[in-house]
Amino acid sequence: MTITGDPKEAKRARAFARTTLDGLGCSPSTIDDGELIVSELATNAIAAAPGKQIDISIFPIKDLIAIYVYDPANELPRRQRPTPAGEKGRGLAIVRSYSQRHGISPSASGGKVVWAMVRRFS
């Protein structure tokens, strides 16, 4: 799925995740976790590359589901220390806690892919 770097597109990304994960026969908890991960990664990508094209891919790899979010910004995300009352800075921590594996891969053509994997059936 391709979205634009518009904050309103995060809702479309979540719907895509839910529909795709359901279509792959994932468990309800995997669908919820995957939707949350896509929401966080898409929101981060939108913030990193406002107005640019962002690509979201979801596909099975054995007993895992891979979630890839590409954005054209070259700057890699970094962990932040959110304040207790702050609304930002928790996205990567959420992804880390809900995924089996996660990472960031610079793209050869510029930009990066931030990815996570969740169990297909949990």
Side-chain angles (χ1 to χ4, degrees):
M1 165 182 220
T2 299
I3 61 173
T4 62
D6 180 333
K8 294 176 185 174
E9 291 281 85
K11 181 178 181 180
R12 232 170 43 97
R14 287 190 298 275
F16 167 74
R18 182 159 287 282
T19 301
T20 302
L21 294 166
D22 184 53
L24 290 170
C26 295
S27 67
S29 62
T30 296
I31 293 170
D32 291 343
D33 293 352
E35 181 182 20
L36 177 61
I37 289 168
V38 167
S39 179
E40 294 298 331
L41 295 181
T43 299
N44 287 352
I46 290 166
K52 304 290 183 177
Q53 179 175 313
I54 295 163
D55 296 316
I56 302 168
S57 301
I58 301 172
F59 53 92
I61 300 177
K62 296 185 182 182
D63 64 336
L64 297 173
I65 298 293
I67 299 168
Y68 288 13
V69 177
Y70 165 83
D71 74 68
N74 290 318
E75 184 175 338
L76 300 179
R78 341 177 280 270
R79 278 193 230 175
Q80 298 179 10
R81 292 182 179 237
T83 62
E87 294 183 17
K88 295 184 179 187
R90 292 177 177 78
L92 291 178
I94 289 169
V95 169
R96 186 172 44 257
S97 67
Y98 281 84
S99 64
Q100 299 299 306
R101 298 179 207 149
H102 62 281
I104 303 162
S105 302
S107 174
S109 59
K112 64 192 167 293
V113 174
V114 184
W115 57 270
M117 294 190 184
V118 294
R119 289 193 196 282
R120 190 170 185 172
F121 310 105
S122 53

